[in-house]
Amino acid sequence: MTTSQPRTACTSTTAHAPTTVRVSTTARAARLFAATAVLGGLLVGTAGPALAAAPERTALRTTAQEAAPATVSVTGSGRAAAAPDLAILSVGVEATRKTAKEAMAAQSTAAKALLEVVRKEGIADRDIRTDSLSLSPVYTQNTQGESKVTGYQAGQSFSVKVRDLDRTGQVIGAVNDATGDAGRINGVVFDVADPSALRVKAREAAFQDAYEKASQHARLSGHRLGRLVSLSEGDSVRPGHGAVPSMPADEPGVPLAPGEIEEQVTVSAVFELV
């Protein structure tokens, strides 16, 4: 009896162990199945409102587009004028000789005389600029219609800024006297040294013109003018710089009429109508 009791106890313990393992595995499987079902329900529940909201968002976009305010697009122009304070002379020299070397030497002598006299007239070096330098053959046609080189013509032109307008005619006359037959007065242009202030005034006038046009359109269409939606500015223009091409310079002091310098600005604006 003493020996059999331990065997029975050992057998009893061994018999219950497999039962315990099977119950634990089944419980874990049940819990995993339940979690999967809950997660699936959540995913389905989330997708449902999202799909239902898609037509609603489309409807909101359509309504927003339909409710976009009316607009009016206008173009305004403005002008501002001022007396010029700067004269830009286009002057030069030209010489024709039998050989290219002689022509270049003659024009160089005349150009030196021109530069010397404008400096004597108080023109600073920063206001004197060479615009062009040229050398070309001169052709002569004989009785048989054949062209032959009979000489060479050399020339040089300069841009000279005169900042004291009262001295403009005097400078032209001095250039003509110093260069003689080689001298060329090609023209003069009047301008303002700093056009920014003139452009500001023209821009203000252009915007005011655009605003008044837009206000009139709003009134005529039974609306009120709303906020400014967009604004753009075109290139500013200065019509008629006061150019005087091919001026004669036979007198020591040439009479000039500077007139006024005008700046033009255009703007394009879009306003809401409310």
Side-chain angles (χ1 to χ4, degrees):
M1 294 297 290
T2 304
T3 306
S4 62
Q5 287 178 353
R7 288 199 193 103
T8 305
C10 182
T11 305
S12 175
T13 302
T14 305
H16 283 83
T19 304
T20 303
V21 172
R22 286 197 297 270
V23 171
S24 176
T25 304
T26 304
R28 283 201 301 270
R31 286 197 296 270
L32 179 60
F33 178 79
T36 304
V38 171
L39 179 60
L42 290 175
L43 292 175
V44 172
T46 304
L51 293 173
E56 183 178 350
R57 287 198 298 268
T58 304
L60 288 175
R61 285 197 298 268
T62 304
T63 304
Q65 292 174 355
E66 292 176 353
T71 59
V72 57
S73 302
V74 292
T75 300
S77 61
R79 300 185 180 190
D85 57 9
L86 178 70
I88 305 174
L89 307 180
S90 177
V91 296
V93 294
E94 195 172 83
T96 302
R97 299 291 187 271
K98 283 190 175 182
T99 65
K101 184 177 180 178
E102 291 173 347
M104 287 296 294
Q107 80 84 25
S108 295
T109 300
K112 289 178 182 177
L114 186 153
L115 294 174
E116 183 179 353
V117 74
V118 295
R119 291 186 177 114
K120 284 183 179 179
E121 290 295 326
I123 308 300
D125 286 344
R126 66 187 179 94
D127 292 329
I128 307 170
R129 183 187 68 207
T130 296
D131 285 339
S132 66
L133 178 65
S134 62
L135 174 66
S136 56
V138 177
Y139 294 92
T140 302
Q141 196 172 49
N142 57 25
T143 55
Q144 285 77 30
E146 298 175 344
S147 296
K148 183 180 179 182
V149 176
T150 56
Y152 289 86
Q153 185 179 78
Q156 189 172 179
S157 63
F158 300 89
S159 175
V160 179
K161 293 181 179 179
V162 183
R163 299 185 184 273
D164 183 358
L165 288 186
D166 294 338
R167 295 177 57 82
T168 304
Q170 181 177 334
V171 173
I172 293 174
V175 169
N176 186 65
D177 290 341
T179 56
D181 293 339
R184 299 290 183 272
I185 309 298
N186 301 317
V188 58
V189 172
F190 296 102
D191 207 346
V192 288
D194 183 11
S196 59
L198 200 60
R199 192 171 296 120
V200 167
K201 293 181 180 179
R203 184 178 294 117
E204 290 176 353
F207 182 82
Q208 187 64 30
D209 182 48
Y211 184 83
E212 290 175 357
K213 288 178 180 178
S215 298
Q216 183 181 18
H217 283 297
R219 187 175 64 256
L220 293 174
S221 60
H223 292 82
R224 289 182 295 105
L225 197 63
R227 70 182 183 91
L228 177 66
V229 177
S230 66
L231 178 69
S232 61
E233 179 178 326
D235 295 334
S236 60
V237 180
R238 270 191 259 168
H241 280 57
V244 184
S246 302
M247 283 181 47
D250 298 329
E251 300 296 330
V254 178
L256 300 172
E260 279 190 334
I261 302 302
E262 187 179 88
E263 188 90 8
Q264 291 184 2
V265 173
T266 59
V267 296
S268 298
V270 179
F271 292 89
E272 281 187 357
L273 295 177
V274 295

